[in-house]
Amino acid sequence: LEVLIVPVVNADGYDYSWTNVRLWRKTRVDNGDGTFGVDPNRNWGFEWGGEGASSATNNETYRGPAPFSEPETAALRDFMIARPRIDAHIDFHTYGQWILSPWGYTASLPPAPIQTMFDRLNADIAREIFAVHGVTYIGGPSYDTLYPASGVIVDWVYGDRGILSWTIELRDTGGFGFVAPASAIVPTGQENYRGVMTLLDFVGQPLRFSFPDGLPTVAEVGEPASFRV
């Protein structure tokens, strides 16, 4: 398995957060009306412009004038399209301790077989994260679990590319919010490393068998043997 890590997507916005506004969220494009920036996670071209994305340029969730209007989102889109072997994707955010699967734009769910897979993996990832430091992350479809959000990366990655996709909102649940103390950095990394490895394990071996009554101890040659799978 190969893991591709993009440490910073919104480079200009990140730089601005070091020099001017500590919690700057958007890009740094000049909107031409005295405001700056587009929310990169409302700018993706799948169900763009719907519920949970603003058309107001001064809003934190401003969706931009068009899908992929921002060079940051266009670059990441092209990066992913150029790599058709990608099977799964996680977009790490803060904060809230959420494991969010599609969809963000609607309360409807993906088809039953896929939704069952998302439900299982949401629970598996949350369980393995909890096992590290006892920190609870809540998993579920983004729209109902957190809030409506259209034009988000997770919906595009799954809806346009057919790739399993999540947003994981890291620690905490509001005590420190976006400004986590340095002491939270390593444990947050440790628990989410365990979550990532859980997903990688599934990607590597997506077909699983379980035996609720245990494995049979003896199966005679030439004789039928019945057991639940």
Side-chain angles (χ1 to χ4, degrees):
L1 296 170
E2 180 181 20
V3 178
L4 307 174
I5 299 174
V6 182
V8 177
V9 174
N10 182 15
D12 291 344
Y14 178 64
D15 180 71
Y16 191 73
S17 76
W18 279 81
T19 59
N20 293 74
V21 180
R22 173 67 182 88
L23 297 181
W24 184 260
R25 172 188 178 95
K26 300 193 286 182
T27 64
R28 288 298 301 158
V29 65
D30 187 343
N31 293 322
D33 59 359
T35 68
F36 289 82
V38 168
D39 183 348
N41 203 35
R42 299 296 186 277
N43 191 236
W44 290 78
F46 184 87
E47 299 294 337
W48 174 86
E51 190 177 359
S54 178
S55 60
T57 57
N58 64 346
N59 194 283
E60 286 285 273
T61 60
Y62 174 47
R63 66 197 185 197
F68 298 116
S69 62
E70 304 309 287
E72 295 85 355
T73 54
L76 190 54
R77 172 201 62 196
D78 295 345
F79 178 89
M80 297 190 75
I81 290 174
R83 291 161 175 81
R85 293 174 56 223
I86 295 175
D87 288 319
H89 159 264
I90 298 175
D91 204 42
F92 284 104
H93 293 203
T94 64
Y95 62 93
Q97 297 168 202
W98 306 102
I99 302 165
L100 304 173
S101 54
W103 302 105
Y105 80 95
T106 178
S108 299
L109 299 175
I114 298 297
Q115 185 55 44
T116 300
M117 184 186 304
F118 276 126
D119 287 342
R120 170 192 160 178
L121 287 166
N122 290 345
D124 286 353
I125 293 169
R127 181 191 66 244
E128 294 304 309
I129 286 176
F130 181 83
V132 180
H133 294 296
V135 175
T136 299
Y137 284 58
I138 303 298
S142 183
Y143 185 100
D144 287 329
T145 305
L146 187 54
Y147 49 57
S150 57
V152 296
I153 184 173
V154 169
D155 285 3
W156 180 85
V157 170
Y158 173 66
D160 190 273
R161 307 301 298 163
I163 298 168
L164 298 176
S165 186
W166 286 264
T167 293
I168 293 184
E169 300 276 358
L170 304 173
R171 297 191 192 189
D172 59 6
T173 57
F176 294 98
F178 290 115
V179 189
S183 60
I185 295 172
V186 170
T188 301
Q190 290 169 334
E191 64 202 13
N192 279 276
Y193 174 81
R194 179 85 166 257
V196 169
M197 293 302 292
T198 302
L199 178 56
L200 290 178
D201 183 50
F202 175 82
V203 170
Q205 297 180 330
L207 182 62
R208 309 291 179 88
F209 293 93
S210 62
F211 302 90
D213 301 326
L215 290 169
T217 56
V218 176
E220 296 292 345
V221 176
E223 296 293 329
S226 299
F227 47 91
R228 291 203 304 148
V229 176

